[in-house]
Structures are given as C-alpha cells and as structure tokens.
C-alpha cells in the first residue's frame, strides 16, 4: 500500500492531503532517514579526502627524506625481494627503483667470501641487527662499490616480521674518516708534549 501511495505521489497524481496520516508519517520518516544517510555519506567523504591529503603529505615527506639521504637504503620483504631503494643506491648502481622492485637482494651484491644476503636473512629471522658488514654492491658501469652495510628487521603494525631494512655507507668514506681520526689521535701526544 505504501508503495502505491509513494508511486502516486511521485507521479503527481496524489497530494499530501490524499495520504492517510500514518502513510504521511512513514513517508516523512523515509525522507528523514535518506537525508541522514546522505549527510553521513558527505561527512565520510570529507573525512576520507582529509585523510587522503594527510597520506599524500606523509608520502611526500618520506620521499624527500629518502632522496636527501647520502647513505644507500634498501627495503625488502622477508623473502629478500626488493620493495624500495633510495636515490643514493640508484646513483651508485645506475639502476632505477622501478627496475629493482621485485628483484632479489642477491641481484645487488657480489658474492665474495660469504653470501651477504644469506647472512642478512639469518640475522633478521633471529630478530637481530647486523652492523658494519662489508659487502660489494654491483654497479652497471665500472667495478663494484664496497659498502659497510647495517641490517635490521622490519615489522608491521602487529609486530610481525615483514622484511629487512638495509643502510650502507661507502667504505671509502669510512676509511677516510678513520684515517683522519687516526692522524688526529697520533698528533694528540705531540700536542700534549708541546
């Protein structure tokens, strides 16, 4: 019956005066509920747009920090597949982030006296960190670049192990810094004697 009344009203053949009081109340209730649902949708859309802007700003911030880093950064999943690298690694290897994503970590490093990737994975699976492990990064043009690599486990919001974060510094820079420190240390006794 309500459907018939609504159809008559919608087609213009009935006026609100023709509607029984209970039907008119039901119709008003339906319209009010529709208005409330629409208001809720508009509010949800506004909140979603606001959160999207915040997410875009956070992504831009992270991208700017990663681009500014001079150390090499590599993020992989727990299977050793690359998920993200920074500009410093792109510059050293001559490869882009897009060309590296999805590839194995082992594609980035030369095998030397040990398999660095296996050592990284074992360390991370034990939920430990690894510091100053020397590795050689493969470069598209020229010889490999030696790095002092630090490696740490990466967890999701529930604390589950989801991957590896690796940060490396070219060993040449470290050696120069150690040499300067050593020279300063050697001059210290001379300065003290004077």
């Amino acid at each position: 019956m309500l459907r018939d009344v609504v159809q008559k009203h919608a087609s213009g053949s009935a006026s609100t005066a023709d509607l029984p009081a209970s039907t008119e109340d039901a119709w008003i209730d339906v319209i009010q509920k529709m208005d409330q649902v629409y208001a809720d949708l508009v509010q949800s859309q506004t909140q979603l747009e606001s959160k999207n802007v915040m997410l875009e700003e956070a992504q831009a911030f992270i991208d700017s920090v990663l681009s500014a880093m001079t150390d090499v950064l590599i993020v992989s999943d727990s299977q050793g597949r690359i998920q993200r690298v920074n500009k410093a690694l792109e510059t050293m290897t001559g490869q882009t982030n897009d060309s590296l994503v999805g590839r194995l970590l082992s594609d980035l490093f030369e095998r030397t006296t040990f398999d660095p990737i296996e050592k990284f994975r074992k360390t991370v699976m034990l939920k430990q960190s690894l510091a100053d492990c020397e590795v050689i990064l493969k470069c598209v043009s020229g010889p490999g670049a030696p790095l002092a690599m630090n490696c740490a486990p990466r967890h999701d919001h529930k604390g589950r192990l989801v991957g590896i974060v690796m940060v490396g510094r070219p060993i040449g820079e470290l050696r120069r810094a150690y040499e300067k420190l050593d020279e300063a240390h050697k001059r210290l006794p001379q300065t003290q004697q004077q």
Side-chain angles (χ1 to χ4, degrees), residues 136-183:
I136 298 176
L137 185 67
K138 291 179 184 176
C139 298
V140 173
S141 59
L147 298 175
M149 190 67 73
N150 296 321
C151 176
R154 186 170 61 89
H155 300 92
D156 67 7
H157 66 284
K158 293 183 178 179
R160 293 179 300 210
L161 179 68
V162 293
I164 305 169
V165 176
M166 301 167 67
V167 178
R169 173 166 289 168
I171 289 178
E173 290 178 22
L174 289 173
R175 285 194 179 133
R176 283 192 295 274
Y178 286 134
E179 286 170 6
K180 286 181 183 178
L181 182 64
D182 189 45
E183 287 174 25

Side-chain angles (χ1 to χ4, degrees), residues 14 47 66 98 104 160:
Q47 289 174 349
L66 291 179
D98 292 340
L104 292 172
R160 293 179 300 210

